[in-house]
Amino acid sequence: MKAIVVGQDQRHSLRWQEVPQPVPAPDEVLINTRATAVNRADLLQRRGRYAPPPGASEVLGLEVAGEVVQCGEQVSGWSVGDRVCALLAGGGYAQYVVCPADLLLRVPGNLSFAEAAALPEALYTSYLNLYVEARLRPGEHALIHAGASGIGTVAIQLCAALGSPVYATASAGKLPRLLQLGATAVFDREQADFVAGVQALTEGRGVDVILDPVGASYLARNLTALNIGGRLVVIGLLGGAKAELPLGEVLTRRLRIIGSVLRGRSVAEKAELTRELERRVWPLVASGKLRAVIDRVFSITEAEAAHSLLQSNETTGKLVLTVPR
Ligand SMILES: NC(=O)c1ccc[n+]([C@@H]2O[C@H](COP(=O)([O-])OP(=O)(O)OC[C@H]3O[C@@H](n4cnc5c(N)ncnc54)[C@H](OP(=O)(O)O)[C@@H]3O)[C@@H](O)[C@H]2O)c1
């Protein structure tokens, strides 16, 4: 089969070339990849700064949509020809990938493979961090930073669909799209003071949950923007990893700061999350209420161009890579 291989050269160039095809374990299926999608983590992994967890494929790619072409002998409930999508610990930038059967989601008939491939990473990350880690309840207010990111565009829709007023930050040109996705109010990350903004919108209380991929440069403002008992979930470090923590504020206002990564979690934990997504979120996808926002679709042979575009910070939503049969 062919897969994207990262070159040893200075540019870490991406080449579509022959590699050995993976073989499914007894509890896994083999998927013929029809589409995958680009994540920030891929940019880091390509440069040797984000190693795959032990046992995962070295090939880039954290999500996939395609057809089941082989089932391991312990797999039940799935058959050759099923249209599936899945969260992966790696291996998506390839014609074939193996995946534990417990992590498969059935692609509804109204979704193309490109649309389905754009969902898993954003959906799992948003749901896990907002609803499992931060326990966001209906009626509570949420703030999503980098609201126009692949993760952010799904997180906004999820909050709106599950009953939370949701605010978002992004650069100015992307804000109107975030309102269309269900944000109650949006803030230009370069010009507006999101702390004053959310306080005005919550009668001075602040928001209950913040989903934050920015980290250090937002830490102090995030704490001020939280309601008493508020939860800050740090999922990325786009704005740096080191900051001063005003513990007095954390203590007196009973704040909780949660750090969270998805990729390194066990298959059992991801399987549990898959069942919860199937029950609570997949009906929204099947009914068309929640869709991945796709900025652009590339062929996998153009993966380099897709990485450059994601790195430019100019995208809204996901970049998808289609894979030839
Ligand atoms: N912990 C986890 O389990 C997990 C899982 C998935 C992703 N993530 C993290 O979530 C983040 C989003 O991932 P993604 O793939 O969805 O990203 P993406 O689609 O590439 O979007 C990233 C966006 O963030 C904004 N941004 C960039 N640098 C920033 C900065 N210094 N301050 C504020 N905003 C900045 C830019 O939009 P604007 O210019 O419009 O603001 C950029 O387009 C990444 O940090 C990723 O590592 C974490």
Side-chain angles (χ1 to χ4, degrees):
M1 72 162 189
K2 283 191 163 173
I4 290 287
V5 174
V6 180
Q8 300 296 314
D9 55 314
Q10 265 196 331
R11 287 179 44 249
H12 308 283
S13 54
L14 302 179
R15 299 197 194 94
W16 183 237
Q17 64 185 55
E18 281 296 326
V19 299
Q21 187 170 308
V23 178
D27 59 347
E28 291 180 334
V29 301
L30 181 69
I31 300 170
N32 176 205
T33 305
R34 302 293 296 282
T36 181
V38 185
N39 287 282
R40 283 270 150 170
D42 305 345
L43 309 185
L44 295 177
Q45 183 176 333
R46 174 182 172 185
R47 287 172 178 76
R49 284 165 39 209
Y50 188 38
S57 166
E58 292 286 321
V59 174
L60 301 177
L62 299 177
E63 50 199 336
V64 67
E67 266 172 26
V68 174
V69 289
Q70 193 185 335
C71 294
E73 65 252 31
Q74 289 169 10
V75 172
S76 61
W78 297 98
S79 311
V80 169
D82 283 346
R83 297 170 82 240
V84 295
C85 64
L87 180 77
L88 303 170
Y93 288 24
Q95 283 183 306
Y96 294 91
V97 65
V98 289
C99 176
D102 282 350
L103 303 190
L104 297 176
L105 287 162
R106 208 171 287 279
V107 175
N110 60 339
L111 250 64
S112 66
F113 284 120
E115 289 170 312
L119 276 172
E121 183 71 24
L123 218 45
Y124 279 75
T125 303
S126 301
Y127 188 84
L128 166 69
N129 294 303
L130 289 166
Y131 294 96
V132 181
E133 294 290 355
R135 298 170 183 266
L136 179 64
R137 291 181 294 268
E140 286 192 320
H141 295 236
L143 171 63
I144 311 295
H145 287 308
S149 64
I151 307 294
T153 47
V154 163
I156 291 168
Q157 294 180 72
L158 206 50
C159 290
L162 298 182
S164 281
V166 53
Y167 315 111
T169 60
S171 53
K174 303 180 184 179
L175 298 176
R177 185 77 179 95
L178 307 190
L179 292 169
Q180 286 169 3
L181 292 174
T184 309
V186 289
F187 307 103
D188 175 351
R189 77 166 163 104
E190 269 136 26
Q191 303 296 334
D193 176 3
F194 69 79
V195 178
V198 297
Q199 275 168 349
L201 288 157
T202 56
E203 292 159 359
R205 287 190 303 276
V207 293
D208 302 289
V209 169
I210 300 178
L211 184 65
D212 179 36
V214 178
S217 60
Y218 280 3
L219 180 66
R221 280 178 283 167
N222 277 340
L223 298 182
T224 313
L226 280 174
N227 192 0
I228 292 170
R231 290 84 76 198
L232 165 65
V233 198
V234 179
I235 62 161
L237 304 168
L238 291 166
K242 286 197 175 160
E244 211 163 277
L245 179 62
L247 279 172
E249 217 174 316
V250 175
L251 190 129
T252 53
R253 297 177 45 242
R254 306 194 303 274
L255 306 179
R256 271 172 276 175
I257 303 173
I258 301 160
S260 172
V261 288
L262 173 63
R263 190 181 191 184
R265 293 183 188 232
S266 68
V267 171
E269 211 174 333
K270 289 177 187 168
E272 200 177 314
L273 202 52
T274 306
R275 301 291 78 82
E276 211 169 315
L277 281 171
E278 229 169 20
R279 187 175 58 77
R280 223 176 145 199
V281 181
W282 217 234
L284 298 170
V285 174
S287 69
K289 255 192 177 169
L290 192 155
R291 302 303 281 256
V293 173
I294 297 180
D295 187 290
R296 200 163 144 192
V297 179
F298 291 85
S299 160
I300 188 116
T301 55
E302 304 169 301
E304 290 236 11
H307 277 208
S308 301
L309 182 56
L310 198 76
Q311 185 80 58
S312 73
N313 285 346
E314 278 165 17
T315 50
T316 296
K318 301 285 295 192
L319 298 179
V320 170
L321 304 173
T322 55
V323 179
R325 293 188 100 170

